[in-house]
Amino acid sequence: PSSPWVLGVASGGYFCYYNTETGERSWFAPEGSSPSFMHDQANFSQPIFMCDLPPPLPANASVCAPINTGWFAHNVDANDCVLLYHGRTGHVRLAPWICLRDQYGCVYFANLLTRVTQWFPPKLWMQENIARPPIHDIDVPYQRVDDLQSIALCLASAHAPPSKLTRLVNRTMVEGGAPYRNCIGLPHYPPDSFDNDLTFPIEGHYERVNGTFWKKI
């Protein structure tokens, strides 16, 4: 039977079990697993390659100064909070996890505190997406900065690409808030009329109303 559990490689190079639905990790095989056994490589028509470890973080990158990562820090000093925004997309996240790409363009994830890097998104990846640039510019006279969400929205808008089409296309990237590898949970912001399954975790959470708006299930 199909199972959400897969065998992956942990940051230290050891094999571990990873649940793609819940984000849970374990050194032990999940209940109901078949016994482990070895395959002879000669039995396969193609060679078997072990996946390489993801690259390390740039040497000087930290939470308050994520140098050479494509991300930038904004300090909300009143509550000692650090918001991270992506220089290309304007997307805003809570620290400390960011996404990066290796030399081949493959996505991997890095913790700016522990310096751990991994191919799979961390458990709370989607929940820590806090704001993204709106397709249409916000109305400045009515915008507030009295809570973390409103500050993040202003930050995302301030660093948004000038082209509305670019903002729309950026939503399909992980750096722009797109779902990735069966991420669980929802971001802090709701979907808008421009969203679909490529830009927001719609399935199982929202349904269309009048063909335009989204209603939470």
Side-chain angles (χ1 to χ4, degrees):
S2 61
S3 169
W5 287 95
V6 297
L7 187 62
V9 181
S11 59
Y14 300 99
F15 285 107
C16 71
Y17 294 89
Y18 176 80
N19 189 309
T20 57
E21 292 182 355
T22 65
E24 182 182 356
R25 296 171 177 79
S26 175
W27 294 117
F28 304 100
E31 185 177 354
S33 298
S34 58
S36 300
F37 57 94
M38 297 295 293
H39 289 286
D40 186 344
Q41 186 169 326
N43 293 334
F44 293 86
S45 59
Q46 298 293 330
I48 302 173
F49 295 99
M50 179 178 174
C51 184
D52 293 331
L53 295 176
L57 266 175
N60 296 324
S62 65
V63 171
C64 293
I67 300 169
N68 296 325
T69 65
W71 293 82
F72 300 86
H74 175 84
N75 295 282
V76 184
D77 294 322
N79 58 7
D80 294 323
C81 177
V82 178
L83 297 176
L84 301 169
Y85 66 91
H86 193 263
R88 174 177 173 180
T89 67
H91 192 77
V92 181
R93 288 184 49 77
L94 295 172
W97 284 96
I98 58 174
C99 59
L100 300 164
R101 292 183 185 266
D102 67 8
Q103 60 180 326
Y104 304 107
C106 297
V107 176
Y108 67 101
F109 300 85
N111 188 307
L112 291 167
L113 286 176
T114 65
R115 306 194 65 80
V116 166
T117 59
Q118 60 190 50
W119 293 117
F120 293 103
K123 184 175 182 179
L124 298 179
W125 176 256
M126 291 305 297
Q127 291 95 316
E128 291 175 346
N129 285 335
I130 191 170
R132 61 181 177 177
I135 301 302
H136 300 293
D137 294 332
I138 61 175
D139 193 346
V140 175
Y142 297 98
Q143 182 59 37
R144 303 176 304 169
V145 287
D146 54 1
D147 57 38
L148 203 59
Q149 188 71 43
S150 61
I151 294 171
L153 177 58
C154 287
L155 186 63
S157 299
H159 295 281
S163 167
K164 295 179 181 179
L165 288 177
T166 303
R167 299 181 198 182
L168 186 59
V169 172
N170 281 348
R171 290 187 177 190
T172 64
M173 303 170 60
V174 180
E175 296 92 334
Y180 186 73
R181 288 195 175 184
N182 299 319
C183 286
I184 62 171
L186 294 170
H188 283 244
Y189 48 83
D192 60 27
S193 60
F194 298 95
D195 279 310
N196 54 54
D197 289 325
L198 298 178
T199 62
F200 195 94
I202 297 289
E203 186 176 356
H205 300 288
Y206 287 87
E207 61 182 5
R208 283 280 190 186
V209 178
N210 298 327
T212 303
F213 301 101
W214 295 103
K215 176 184 177 183
K216 196 167 185 178
I217 300 175

